[in-house]
Amino acid sequence: MPVLPAKPDTGLMKQVNRQFVTGVTVVTALDGDTPRGLAVNAFSSISLDPPTVMVCVQRTSVTHDCLFRTDHLAINVLSTEQLDVVTGFASKSDDKFQGIDWTAGPFGSPLLARSSAQMETEIRERLQASTHTVFICRVVHASVTDSDPLVYTAGKFFDGGALPPLGGSATG
């Protein structure tokens, strides 16, 4: 009988995940009249037609219950001009919107100024996955700017527009 490998521990999984380059988003919603939000790097496009995305949020997050109750949320793709924003939204602060310039999207979700891109979405499904909820969302509003995206890897932030391409140019 083959010997099964040991299950990877949390420390190893953190090291593995740090090798993945990801964009930086802030997920926002209104809790009554109060804006709420948190930094999220577990974001992905699922489909372009219809436009569908997903975000994963830890259930112990203070923003989780607001997101779970609401019908709409916004995904703000942060730009290189927003290092201050990601720091605030990654914190445990009670008022993460203090000093943050934002406007309400068509369905009321907070859209952060200076973002590289913004989406307001309608939540279609909430899937429980271990310690997180996976929110499957249909995009109902989107905008994009010329600002370069903020990217994250190995515990550091980088300018997504300054990354040199390898090989030839990639086309979609």
Side-chain angles (χ1 to χ4, degrees):
M1 173 174 260
V3 176
L4 297 176
K7 177 182 160 191
D9 66 16
T10 303
L12 175 59
M13 288 312 303
K14 284 181 180 180
Q15 289 177 342
V16 168
N17 290 339
R18 289 180 80 148
Q19 297 303 320
F20 188 70
V21 177
T22 181
V24 181
T25 69
V26 169
V27 174
T28 58
L30 281 181
D31 191 5
D33 292 332
T34 304
R36 304 274 185 218
L38 74 162
V40 172
N41 67 357
F43 158 79
S44 182
S45 172
I46 295 175
S47 171
L48 295 176
D49 187 19
T52 307
V53 297
M54 60 157 246
V55 294
C56 301
V57 176
Q58 191 167 15
R59 288 198 307 264
T60 58
S61 163
V62 296
T63 306
H64 177 272
D65 290 349
C66 163
L67 295 173
F68 202 86
R69 287 189 304 266
T70 193
D71 292 331
H72 293 86
L73 60 81
I75 301 162
N76 299 273
V77 178
L78 297 193
S79 74
T80 55
E81 304 166 21
Q82 293 177 295
L83 196 53
D84 60 322
V85 173
V86 72
T87 303
F89 279 93
S91 76
K92 303 280 187 203
S93 170
D94 288 337
D95 184 5
K96 296 178 184 180
F97 280 83
Q98 184 176 357
I100 299 294
D101 187 15
W102 65 276
T103 58
F107 294 90
S109 304
L111 301 174
L112 304 182
R114 301 182 292 146
S115 294
S116 180
Q118 304 163 323
M119 290 171 266
E120 191 169 20
T121 69
E122 178 184 11
I123 300 171
R124 294 295 183 95
E125 295 181 62
R126 295 162 181 86
L127 308 172
Q128 299 308 306
S130 187
T131 58
H132 287 64
T133 298
V134 180
F135 295 90
I136 308 294
C137 306
R138 180 75 48 88
V139 179
V140 294
H141 170 77
S143 65
V144 67
T145 70
D146 291 333
S147 297
D148 290 329
L150 187 63
V151 295
Y152 180 80
T153 188
K156 297 179 184 130
F157 295 101
F158 295 89
D159 180 341
L163 299 173
L166 300 175
S169 63
T171 59

